[in-house]
Amino acid sequence: MADARKASIPAGAAGGDKPDNGPRESTARRLRSVRSRFRESSHEQAHDEEHPRVQGALPENPLIPSGKARYVQSQDELDELVGQLRSPTEDGGFPVFAYDSEFIGESNYRPRLCLVQVATPVGITLIDPLAAIDLRCFWELVVDPGIRKIVHAGEQDLEPAVRATGAPPANVVDTQVVAGFCALPYPTSLSRLVEHVIGVHLGKGLTFTQWDQRPLSRKQLSYAADDVRFLPALSAALLGQ
């Protein structure tokens, strides 16, 4: 909370002398320094291409999509995706997809949504909320009880759906919660759960990175895709247990 007290100006300050704002100015300088170091380290992390997150080849599993993720930046592309996500499965079952999101919570009253990742067995799509698109049609999927959604530790990922539609999320499977009902440790990270259930070693994600930078780096796109790549297979395995 900002200090409500006014900074005092020394009696001797006159002419070209600048007033000493004391602790407030010192705090502001420290914050600028922290932000600068954060941006430098996150930039380096996002552009370090030497360490892929998934070690080795993907397992042969029809629920694990492979290939490069599709990047959506227009309303027409988003509307097309939403139509596809509403389509029933090949065996006539209700539609199902996995999703995740990337936020920046600093410097904003509400976290700034920077990326939405969607996965089905067919493929992965990355949606750019910073483009000129209206995401309400996507959030309507999240609150639709006729469509199953898969998330991992998804409380924050579900929140925008409530704000956008005024309705609660429905038919949501949270793999972190389901794992707890399968006698696995709770809470368990996505990487540990994927390794235990799917047998894939998933390296650490981007702990600090500028998800609002454009264009996103190849590493950022790759890591974002891997956050949802294994959720359909993970959900199926856990629900089977």
Side-chain angles (χ1 to χ4, degrees):
M1 180 179 294
D3 190 350
R5 296 171 298 177
K6 295 182 178 179
S8 60
I9 301 176
D17 295 336
K18 294 183 179 180
D20 181 9
N21 289 326
R24 178 182 295 178
E25 184 174 349
S26 177
T27 300
R29 285 198 300 267
R30 288 198 298 271
L31 287 174
R32 286 194 295 268
S33 176
V34 168
R35 292 193 191 102
S36 177
R37 291 197 301 272
F38 167 76
R39 289 185 177 275
E40 290 175 359
S41 63
S42 63
H43 179 80
E44 292 173 359
Q45 185 186 44
H47 290 80
D48 175 15
E49 308 290 352
E50 296 181 1
H51 303 287
R53 191 175 185 188
V54 177
Q55 304 295 325
L58 293 174
E60 293 186 6
N61 187 319
L63 296 179
I64 299 178
S66 60
K68 188 177 179 180
R70 176 189 177 194
Y71 197 69
V72 167
Q73 290 181 289
S74 72
Q75 193 66 47
D76 289 342
E77 291 174 322
L78 178 60
D79 292 341
E80 179 185 359
L81 172 66
V82 168
Q84 294 170 352
L85 296 177
R86 286 192 177 278
S87 302
T89 59
E90 292 182 358
D91 59 1
F94 54 74
V96 56
F97 67 90
Y99 86 96
D100 187 31
S101 54
E102 304 298 342
F103 292 86
I104 290 183
E106 302 82 6
S107 305
N108 294 286
Y109 179 73
R110 289 178 176 171
R112 188 184 189 194
L113 180 61
C114 299
L115 194 68
V116 177
Q117 307 101 285
V118 177
T120 69
V122 176
I124 297 174
T125 303
L126 307 179
I127 305 171
D128 185 0
L130 302 186
I133 55 177
D134 183 359
L135 282 173
R136 181 182 174 86
C137 59
F138 177 80
W139 300 126
E140 288 174 347
L141 297 176
V142 177
V143 303
D144 188 335
I147 303 173
R148 173 168 289 177
K149 282 71 59 175
I150 306 167
V151 297
H152 182 85
E155 181 176 354
Q156 192 174 33
D157 305 305
L158 299 171
E159 183 182 345
V162 180
R163 292 202 304 266
T165 68
N171 199 354
V172 176
V173 174
D174 191 319
T175 54
Q176 187 181 73
V177 176
V178 177
F181 283 100
C182 294
L184 294 172
Y186 179 87
T188 299
S189 69
L190 176 64
S191 58
R192 289 184 178 181
L193 199 55
V194 167
E195 185 167 12
H196 178 80
V197 178
I198 307 297
V200 173
H201 177 69
L202 194 62
K204 292 183 179 180
L206 296 174
T207 307
F208 299 105
T209 192
Q210 291 177 249
W211 287 112
D212 60 343
Q213 75 172 15
R214 294 297 183 271
L216 292 168
S217 72
R218 185 173 61 182
K219 184 172 185 178
Q220 285 175 310
L221 296 174
S222 175
Y223 273 53
D226 287 338
D227 275 342
V228 292
R229 186 181 306 278
F230 301 96
L231 287 181
L234 188 60
S235 172
L238 291 172
L239 291 177
Q241 294 184 39

